């Protein structure tokens, strides 16, 4: 190895640096401890590694050290401001909600410094152009808060605003609930001092091993042998681990239940032993002294594979001659019916208005900036402790314990600061591999995937095919819906049944449709596995049902908004699952939208040109809150000696704001104690320290953890309360032998009922979120490119706990909706980095993200609140697709709306050869299958 040396001026100090000339500047800075410079894509595509190099914004993951001049002036995030001396840009980032997961924040803030150093008074357009040019990507915020923050920081730096205006002021009431209180983790995130997983890996004690994974790089094969002999001789290798080293069952347990489930829930190997099921599977783990050595040795592991047919799409695997991907389990392995009201055949036979449509939604990637990472080690109590990105601490234990061969109590899970997940961190695969490696080596181990590898390794939103038919009566009232849908859940079954039930529950949701006959089937393929993704299961449904709503409105000759208005849920309406709702905000939300909609329709007509027509589309979205009929959360509150209170909680923070959620709920619940928010200490996300709160998924956390917090607060205050109504101090509690720590619990057990698995009828959820979406688009008829000019959302997510966090969720979800509609996909395995995946950059997202709320109080929720994170990605894409049709007459049936699809549609219109989208062949007739299910249901009720 050759080493070079030079002096660099880093953050104002001249420092001697030694390095390998072929290494890049990002790595060298990070090894020096300057881990505020993050590495995401490692390919110059995301901007996370941006620094100022001689005053210029530079992505240093692609800057080789040999290209850096001696005495170059380098400013990293650590040189911009510190936690006790924040720069105005950092202050503005905190005040305007620029921080969610915060992985992009250092890069954006450094980039902003570069901009404002050269242009102290930029327009919003100039700010956006700058971030576009410097490829600063954010997956969480929808970019709008970031531009807001830049504009405010610039005002401060020009002396037009005092910095104090950026500091949140607690209202006189002392309440911080329902305010813009900033999230506690923001200071560490904007200063680069928050250590994410890869940063922690660099700071592990000497002797920790670095891991590299060996992947098969084929999608379907039998494993004949794995040869590690050559790799074992590579420099620095400590051990190579294969399935033979796994002490347990070597399978992840991911429960899939229900009478129509045909898989055994143990289909996923930790280290593949018999077969390869997808490209990102893992054949071996190399543990070595350095990451570089581990990666080099991983290349030398040889596997003899017998290639099998690769089924990369649901339609392929539905073919009669397709082999079983998991031998013994049929490729169609889960079915979720929806049978509501009267039989639909006669309704469709006599309905005056009927439309049919077939739709495909793609394999949407989560597109987080931070690849999978973490570490595992033996702790002082003999537990294997794993630090990872999980959104479900307990799932790591209960899904992986038998597989790795440890009793659950011997596994401790800690969530690292996480560079977002949006659902992908449900999978405990990376954690299981780290635990296996720590057990096999007896050493602390660290893992950091490369970005492409991360894409192949992690789950995605399950693609869907659906054939849909919708009927209305002569007055435009919906009378019937039929659908046949297939979800391509990829190689593994993780939560497949849950996703399928969501697709069946949200097809046609938002409207009273008295009669529904529908079936969602799940199939295995050899593509990446389906997993949780914001609003999971519902965007697939809404892509179909919200487009056929528009098609039916057109057929009847009604305005799409007015057609929706007469059909949305009102008192007496029932959901597709046949249940009534506690509140009915959709008519009011549409009333709020109507004036804007009319104005926008009028304006777009005037602004349209033949070359660039503009259009408006709307859609309705509804999603449930909490995990269902057996959801439980526990939170501990403890009074400390100094009068502060610690919240011991397992509210996983993926960037959505678990910290500020826990803070405002605890503060509100303990209001009688009159605490300052700073007197609430958050000790979060360590299974050894906090009770089980459940996953940060399904918009459940604020609702479930909030109610558990209230219970804990009441127990604590009851214990503190003296006969005269004042409160005991900690010292008085101790002196009287009164415990100072209390567990609060909230459960839905007994409050809701499970879906009937034979009919899909029932209601496992106490509350729902409601939204109406409006998109304004411009279509370039020459290129086929669609630009979303404005995205509007009117939402009812109950009383808002923290406005910054909820706004942030809405903006971020709307931006992901643009990606879902227009650009995002992971079908082509070669397109596995940020650009190839189609993750939107700032100029792909409109600056105008208009979000308004109706805050209908929800009695079962904490302080009238529910949840919010899923709602903004239920159906924003459908509004965009409807807007494309409104603009140019092209109906996009298969997402994303790539320019070539729009061009093909325009050509068909021009040539007068517009044909109906052909129905998909989705396997056995769904009506016959549903009839069988109905008989089974009748038989089961007769038995009881
Ligand atoms: S641009 Fe360097 S990590 Fe993405
Ligand atoms: S806050 Fe920007 S990527 Fe998460």
């Amino acid at each position: 190895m050759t080493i070079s040396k030079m002096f660099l001026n880093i953050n104002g100090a001249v420092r001697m640096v030694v390095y390998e000339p072929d290494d890049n500047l990002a790595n060298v800075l990070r090894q020096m401890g300057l881990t505020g410079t993050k590495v995401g894509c490692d390919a110059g595509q995301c901007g996370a590694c941006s620094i100022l190099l001689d005053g210029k914004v530079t992505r240093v993951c692609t800057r080789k050290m040999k290209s850096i001049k001696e005495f170059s002036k380098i400013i990293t995030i650590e040189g911009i401001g510190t936690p006790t001396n924040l720069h105005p840009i950092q202050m503005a980032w905190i005040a305007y909600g620029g921080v969610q997961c915060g992985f992009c924040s250092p890069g954006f803030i450094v980039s902003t410094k570069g901009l404002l150093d050269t242009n102290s008074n930029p327009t919003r357009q100039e700010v956006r152009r700058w971030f576009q040019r410097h490829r600063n990507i954010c997956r969480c915020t929808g970019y709008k808060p970031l531009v807001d923050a830049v504009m405010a920081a610039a005002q401060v730096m020009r002396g037009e605003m005092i910095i104090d205006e950026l500091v949140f002021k607690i209202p006189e009431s002392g309440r911080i609930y329902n305010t813009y209180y900033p999230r506690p983790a923001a200071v560490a995130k904007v200063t680069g001092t928050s250590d994410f997983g890869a940063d922690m890996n660099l700071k592990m004690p000497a002797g920790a091993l670095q891991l590299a994974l060996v992947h098969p790089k084929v999608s379907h094969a039998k494993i004949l042998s794995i040869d590690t002999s050559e790799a074992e001789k590579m420099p620095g290798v400590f051990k190579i681990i294969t399935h033979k080293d796994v002490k347990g069952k070597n399978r992840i347990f991911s429960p899939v239940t229900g009478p129509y489930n045909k898989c055994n829930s143990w289909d996923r190997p930790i280290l593949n032993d018999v077969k390869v099921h997808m490209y990102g599977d893992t054949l071996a783990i190399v543990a070595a002294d350095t990451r570089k050595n581990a990666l080099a040795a991983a290349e030398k592991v040889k596997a003899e594979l017998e290639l099998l047919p690769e089924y990369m799409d649901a339609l392929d695997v539905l073919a009669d001659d397709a082999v079983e991907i998991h031998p013994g389990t049929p490729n169609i392995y889960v079915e979720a019916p929806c049978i509501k009201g009267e039989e639909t055949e006669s309704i469709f036979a006599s309905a005056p208005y009927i439309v049919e449509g077939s739709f495909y939604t793609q394999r949407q990637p989560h597109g987080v900036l931070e690849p999978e990472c973490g570490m595992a080690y033996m702790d002082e109590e003999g537990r294997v402790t794993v630090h990872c990105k999980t959104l479900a601490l307990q799932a790591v234990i209960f899904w992986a314990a038998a597989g790795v061969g440890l009793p659950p109590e011997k596994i401790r899970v800690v969530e690292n600061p996480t560079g977002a997940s949006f659902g992908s961190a449900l999978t405990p695969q990376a954690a299981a591999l780290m635990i296996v490696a720590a057990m096999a080596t007896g050493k602390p181990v660290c893992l950091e995937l490369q970005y492409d590898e991360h894409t192949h390794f992690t789950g995605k939103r399950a693609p869907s095919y659906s054939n849909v038919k919708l009927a209305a009566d002569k007055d435009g009232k919906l009378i019937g819906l039929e659908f046949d849908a297939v979800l391509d859940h990829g190689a593994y079954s993780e939560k497949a049944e849950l996703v399928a039930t969501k697709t069946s529950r949200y097809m046609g949701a938002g409207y009273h449709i008295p009669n529904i006959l529908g079936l969602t089937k799940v199939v295995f393929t050899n593509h990446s596995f389906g997993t949780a993704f914001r609003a999971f299961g519902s965007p697939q449904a809404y892509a179909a049902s919200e487009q056929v709503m528009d098609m039916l409105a057109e057929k009847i000759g009604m305005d799409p908004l007015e057609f929706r208005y007469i059909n949305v849920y009102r008192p007496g309406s029932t959901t597709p699952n046949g249940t009534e709702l506690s509140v009915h905000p959709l008519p009011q939300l549409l009333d709020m939208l109507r004036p804007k909609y009319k104005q926008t329709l009028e304006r777009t007509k005037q602004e349209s040109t033949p070359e660039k027509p503009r259009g408006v589309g709307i859609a309705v979205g509804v999603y449930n809150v909490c995990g269902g009929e057996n959801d439980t959360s526990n939170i501990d509150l403890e009074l400390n000696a100094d009068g502060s209170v610690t919240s011991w909680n397992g509210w996983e923070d993926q960037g959505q704001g678990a910290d500020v959620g826990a803070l405002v709920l605890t503060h509100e619940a303990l209001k009688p104690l009159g605490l300052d928010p700073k007197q609430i200490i958050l000790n979060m996300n360590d299974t050894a320290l906090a009770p089980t709160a459940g996953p940060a998924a399904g918009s459940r956390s604020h609702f479930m953890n909030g109610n558990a917090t209230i219970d804990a607060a009441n127990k604590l205050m009851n214990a503190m309360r003296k006969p005269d109504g004042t409160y005991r101090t900690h010292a008085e509690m101790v002196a009287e032998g009164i415990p100072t720590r209390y567990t609060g619990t909230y459960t839905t057990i007994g409050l809701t009922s499970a879906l009937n698995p034979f009919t899909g009828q029932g209601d496992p959820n106490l509350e729902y979120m409601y939204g109406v979406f409006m998109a304004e688009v411009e279509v370039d008829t020459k290129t086929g490119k669609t630009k979303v000019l404005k995205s509007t959302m009117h939402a009812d997510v109950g009383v808002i706990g923290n406005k910054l966090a909820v706004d942030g969720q809405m903006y971020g979800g709307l931006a992901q909706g643009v990606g879902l509609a227009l650009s995002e996909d992971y079908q082509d395995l070669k397109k596995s980095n940020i650009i190839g995946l189609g993750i939107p950059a700032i100029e792909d997202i409109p600056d105008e993200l208009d979000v308004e709320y109706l805050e209908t109080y929800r009695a079962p929720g904490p302080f009238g609140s529910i949840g919010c994170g899923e709602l903004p990605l239920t159906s924003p894409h459908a509004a965009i697709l409807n807007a494309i049709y409104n603009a140019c007459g092209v109906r996009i049936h298969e997402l994303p709306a790539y320019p070539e699809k729009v061009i093909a549609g325009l050509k068909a219109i021009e040539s007068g050869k517009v044909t109906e989208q052909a129905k998909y062949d989705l396997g056995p007739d769904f009506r016959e299958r549903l009839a069988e299910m109905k008989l089974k249901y009748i038989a089961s009720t007769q038995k009881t």
Side-chain angles (χ1 to χ4, degrees):
M1 178 199 294
T2 320
I3 297 277
S4 297
K5 161 256 157 192
M6 74 163 111
F7 288 105
L8 291 173
N9 184 327
I10 302 176
N11 296 328
V14 173
R15 297 177 64 174
M16 187 191 293
V17 182
V18 290
Y19 57 91
E20 289 179 67
D22 267 342
D23 209 350
N24 63 54
L25 182 51
N27 284 342
V28 171
L29 291 169
R30 288 174 55 75
Q31 278 154 19
M32 293 171 75
L34 297 168
T35 48
T37 301
K38 308 297 179 195
V39 175
C41 69
D42 207 9
Q45 299 180 10
C46 77
C49 63
S50 300
I51 65 155
L52 294 180
L53 179 61
D54 293 324
K56 290 201 165 55
V57 179
T58 308
R59 281 159 274 155
V60 288
C61 66
T62 51
R63 279 304 292 269
K64 295 280 185 210
M65 285 305 292
K66 55 190 170 205
S67 74
I68 306 293
K69 290 200 199 89
E70 186 136 36
F71 291 107
S72 292
K73 286 201 174 90
I74 285 170
I75 301 288
T76 68
I77 187 69
E78 291 86 352
I80 304 269
T82 62
T84 52
N85 185 25
L86 293 168
H87 189 280
I89 302 171
Q90 293 164 317
M91 298 276 285
W93 233 254
I94 296 170
Y96 283 84
V99 179
Q100 285 192 33
C101 80
F103 195 81
C104 70
S105 302
F108 265 100
I109 289 167
V110 169
S111 185
T112 301
K113 179 75 167 57
L115 166 67
L116 299 182
D117 284 349
T118 52
N119 177 0
S120 64
N121 194 7
T123 63
R124 290 185 76 90
Q125 279 315 103
E126 286 168 335
V127 174
R128 284 164 58 81
R129 188 86 283 272
W130 181 271
F131 288 147
Q132 180 78 20
R133 182 152 73 83
H134 292 285
R135 288 233 36 102
N136 290 107
I137 300 291
C138 176
R139 187 59 167 158
C140 301
T141 63
Y143 297 105
K144 177 187 173 330
L146 311 184
V147 182
D148 294 343
V150 175
M151 300 307 282
Q155 273 186 285
V156 172
M157 289 165 73
R158 291 195 304 271
E160 295 165 11
M161 181 161 69
I162 56 167
I163 198 158
D164 198 42
E165 289 181 53
L166 295 175
V167 178
F168 178 82
K169 312 281 182 312
I170 295 179
E172 269 179 28
S173 67
R175 273 189 96 203
I176 57 168
Y177 205 78
N178 196 234
T179 69
Y180 289 91
Y181 193 87
R183 64 182 65 202
V187 170
K189 300 266 171 89
V190 299
T191 51
T193 50
S194 181
D195 284 325
F196 292 74
D199 309 331
M200 303 277 286
N201 286 354
L202 284 173
K203 295 167 188 177
M204 283 289 278
L209 296 170
Q210 300 294 324
L211 305 179
L213 306 185
V214 178
H215 303 290
K217 298 191 178 155
V218 299
S219 298
H220 198 194
K222 268 189 201 152
I223 301 169
L224 304 179
S225 65
I226 299 172
D227 178 2
T228 60
S229 54
E230 201 184 332
E232 275 159 20
K233 294 180 204 136
M234 292 289 285
V237 170
F238 183 85
K239 185 171 176 68
I240 299 186
I241 301 143
T242 67
H243 64 91
K244 292 184 186 144
D245 299 293
V246 182
K247 300 277 183 259
K249 282 176 74 117
N250 188 31
R251 290 292 181 280
I252 295 288
F253 174 63
S254 178
V256 181
T257 56
Y260 307 119
N261 167 36
K262 299 191 180 81
C263 76
N264 68 6
S265 308
W266 291 96
D267 48 273
R268 179 154 205 185
I270 296 173
L271 280 158
N272 290 61
D273 39 18
V274 181
K275 278 186 79 179
V276 168
H277 306 106
M278 67 171 204
Y279 193 85
D281 276 340
T282 309
L283 297 175
I285 312 168
V286 177
D289 56 349
T290 66
R291 186 166 177 241
K292 198 171 168 186
N293 282 341
L295 288 167
E299 291 293 317
K300 302 289 180 191
V301 174
K302 300 273 182 294
E304 198 186 340
L305 304 172
E306 179 189 321
L307 298 183
L308 296 169
E310 296 184 346
Y311 302 102
M312 303 304 276
D313 184 283
L315 298 184
D316 300 341
V317 90
L318 287 168
D320 291 339
D321 61 348
V323 301
E324 286 178 350
I325 289 171
H326 293 276
T329 303
N331 286 332
I332 300 178
Y333 63 98
V334 163
E335 291 161 296
C338 180
I339 308 175
K340 177 187 177 188
E342 294 171 23
E343 59 85 23
T344 48
E345 212 168 344
S346 59
I347 288 162
F348 278 95
S350 59
Y353 298 109
I354 298 171
V355 289
E356 292 188 61
S358 293
F359 301 91
Y360 168 77
T361 61
Q362 75 277 38
R363 202 175 303 278
Q364 188 185 21
H366 299 75
V368 301
L369 295 195
E370 180 198 36
E372 281 284 339
C373 56
M375 67 261 208
Y377 52 85
M378 198 66 76
D379 76 6
E380 63 280 12
E381 293 191 25
R383 293 170 294 216
V384 178
T385 298
V386 62
H387 290 233
C388 53
K389 294 182 64 168
T390 184
L391 65 76
L393 294 157
Q394 299 299 329
V396 174
I397 297 176
F398 290 108
W399 294 6
V404 300
L406 283 173
E409 65 276 13
K410 287 289 176 192
I411 301 176
R412 174 185 179 188
V413 185
V414 178
E415 188 205 356
N416 282 331
T418 293
S421 114
F422 313 111
S424 62
L426 177 67
T427 311
Q429 193 72 8
L433 289 167
M434 289 188 275
I435 294 170
V436 162
M439 290 170 70
T441 60
K443 301 260 184 196
V445 295
C446 304
L447 178 69
E448 182 187 349
L449 298 193
Q450 300 165 97
Y451 200 91
D452 292 28
E453 180 185 23
H454 161 89
T455 300
H456 303 314
F457 179 83
T458 49
K460 305 287 170 288
R461 189 187 298 287
S464 68
Y465 287 95
S466 55
N467 298 320
V468 181
K469 200 168 163 185
L470 187 65
D473 68 13
K474 62 179 178 21
D475 301 319
K477 289 283 219 153
L478 292 166
I479 52 175
L481 168 69
E482 287 186 350
F483 66 88
D484 182 17
V486 163
L487 294 176
D488 167 356
H489 212 262
Y492 299 116
S493 68
E494 181 176 292
K495 288 285 172 199
E497 185 204 11
L498 195 58
V499 182
T501 58
K502 301 287 185 193
T503 302
S504 277
R505 289 178 69 182
Y506 292 106
M507 194 71 84
Y511 308 95
H512 177 65
I513 308 176
N515 310 296
I516 303 179
L517 188 74
L519 181 63
T520 303
K521 296 164 272 195
V522 182
V523 298
F524 283 123
T525 66
N526 292 117
H527 217 307
S528 62
F529 61 100
T531 189
F533 193 159
R534 193 177 221 161
F536 62 99
S538 78
Q540 293 95 325
Y542 288 118
S545 66
E546 280 301 307
Q547 289 206 81
V548 290
M549 289 294 161
D550 259 36
M551 291 159 67
L552 190 52
E554 185 181 27
K555 189 158 195 178
I556 299 170
M558 287 183 76
D559 176 89
L561 186 143
E562 302 308 335
F563 174 68
R564 285 176 170 82
Y565 191 75
I566 64 166
N567 281 297
V568 289
Y569 295 149
R570 288 183 168 76
S573 298
T574 50
T575 66
N577 312 109
T579 58
E580 296 195 7
L581 298 151
S582 66
V583 297
H584 305 90
L586 283 170
Q588 204 178 336
L589 290 168
L590 285 167
D591 282 335
M592 285 162 66
L593 185 67
R594 188 179 285 108
K596 290 183 190 176
Y597 170 68
K598 285 188 170 164
Q599 278 170 15
T600 313
L601 271 180
E602 204 45 50
R603 186 167 45 73
T604 48
K605 251 188 234 157
Q606 288 162 9
E607 291 169 353
S608 276
T609 64
E611 295 75 32
K612 293 192 175 178
R614 292 186 172 191
V616 187
I618 56 174
V620 164
V622 178
Y623 205 81
N624 57 275
V625 171
C626 88
E629 69 279 7
N630 54 7
D631 200 356
T632 300
S633 168
N634 303 284
I635 302 279
D636 279 10
L637 293 182
E638 180 175 17
L639 179 66
N640 302 316
D642 63 359
S644 65
V645 171
T646 297
S647 168
W648 301 92
N649 71 72
W651 186 340
E652 301 89 350
D653 198 348
Q654 309 284 296
Q656 81 280 25
D659 58 343
V660 76
L663 177 67
V664 300
L665 283 160
T666 309
H667 188 257
E668 186 73 3
L670 294 172
K671 200 163 49 179
L673 300 185
L675 298 177
D676 185 275
K678 294 211 163 44
Q679 288 179 284
I680 292 165
I681 316 296
L682 302 175
N683 196 324
M684 298 173 69
N685 295 322
D686 180 340
T687 57
L689 301 179
T692 303
S699 293
R700 65 176 290 287
S701 300
H702 197 94
F703 185 88
M704 297 297 300
N705 300 347
N707 279 325
T709 298
I710 291 172
D711 186 43
N714 288 340
K715 286 174 178 163
L716 174 61
M717 290 190 294
N718 286 342
M720 291 172 70
R721 197 173 292 112
K722 295 179 186 173
D724 66 359
T726 61
Y727 292 97
R728 293 178 177 88
T729 63
H730 183 273
E732 288 168 336
M733 301 270 282
V734 173
E736 292 181 53
I738 301 171
T740 54
R741 178 168 171 162
Y742 294 86
T743 300
T745 298
Y746 181 75
T747 182
T748 62
I749 295 172
L751 300 180
T752 62
S753 58
L755 288 178
N756 180 321
F758 297 105
T759 63
Q761 299 297 285
D763 192 355
N765 298 102
L766 283 167
E767 279 297 342
Y768 290 82
M769 307 167 272
Y770 303 85
V772 295
F773 299 84
M774 179 172 76
E776 182 183 341
V777 306
E778 179 180 87
V779 178
D780 185 326
T781 54
K782 279 208 178 71
T783 62
K785 195 166 165 39
T786 300
K787 187 159 186 58
V788 180
L789 303 172
K790 182 170 178 177
S791 189
T792 300
M793 178 185 187
H794 289 183
D796 190 332
V797 293
V799 175
I800 292 172
N802 181 266
K803 293 183 178 183
L804 266 189
V806 173
D807 280 350
Q809 290 295 292
M810 298 300 150
Y811 296 144
L814 289 175
Q816 290 173 351
V818 174
L820 179 58
L822 301 181
S823 61
E824 295 176 15
D825 196 8
Y826 170 61
Q827 184 61 23
D828 182 346
L829 297 174
K830 292 190 283 305
K831 294 184 175 171
S832 50
N833 215 317
I834 299 289
I835 291 175
L837 294 171
I839 305 304
I842 190 166
E843 290 189 343
D844 300 318
I845 303 300
D847 195 27
E848 283 196 84
L849 297 177
D850 174 12
V851 178
E852 278 191 50
Y853 304 97
L854 192 60
E855 294 189 60
T856 306
Y857 188 90
R858 303 300 212 284
F863 313 116
S865 301
I866 43 173
C868 72
E870 320 299 318
L871 182 67
L873 196 46
T874 50
S875 60
H877 55 308
I880 294 168
L881 299 171
N882 286 335
I884 293 174
Y885 181 81
N886 182 251
C888 66
V890 174
R891 173 66 64 197
I892 297 294
H893 291 262
E894 299 195 337
L895 277 67
Y898 286 142
E900 56 269 26
K901 295 181 191 173
V902 176
I903 289 287
L906 288 169
K907 281 191 178 150
I909 292 170
E910 209 176 281
S911 61
K913 290 184 186 154
V914 179
T915 50
E916 293 217 337
Q917 174 83 3
K919 263 192 190 174
Y920 298 113
D921 180 357
L922 298 181
D925 183 77
F926 83 104
R927 278 190 203 80
E928 283 172 21
R929 183 70 188 124
L930 284 163
E932 284 169 28
M933 290 176 174
K934 206 164 181 176
L935 288 178
K936 211 169 172 184
Y937 173 55
I938 292 166
S940 78
T941 52
Q942 281 168 351
K943 253 186 245 160
T944 55

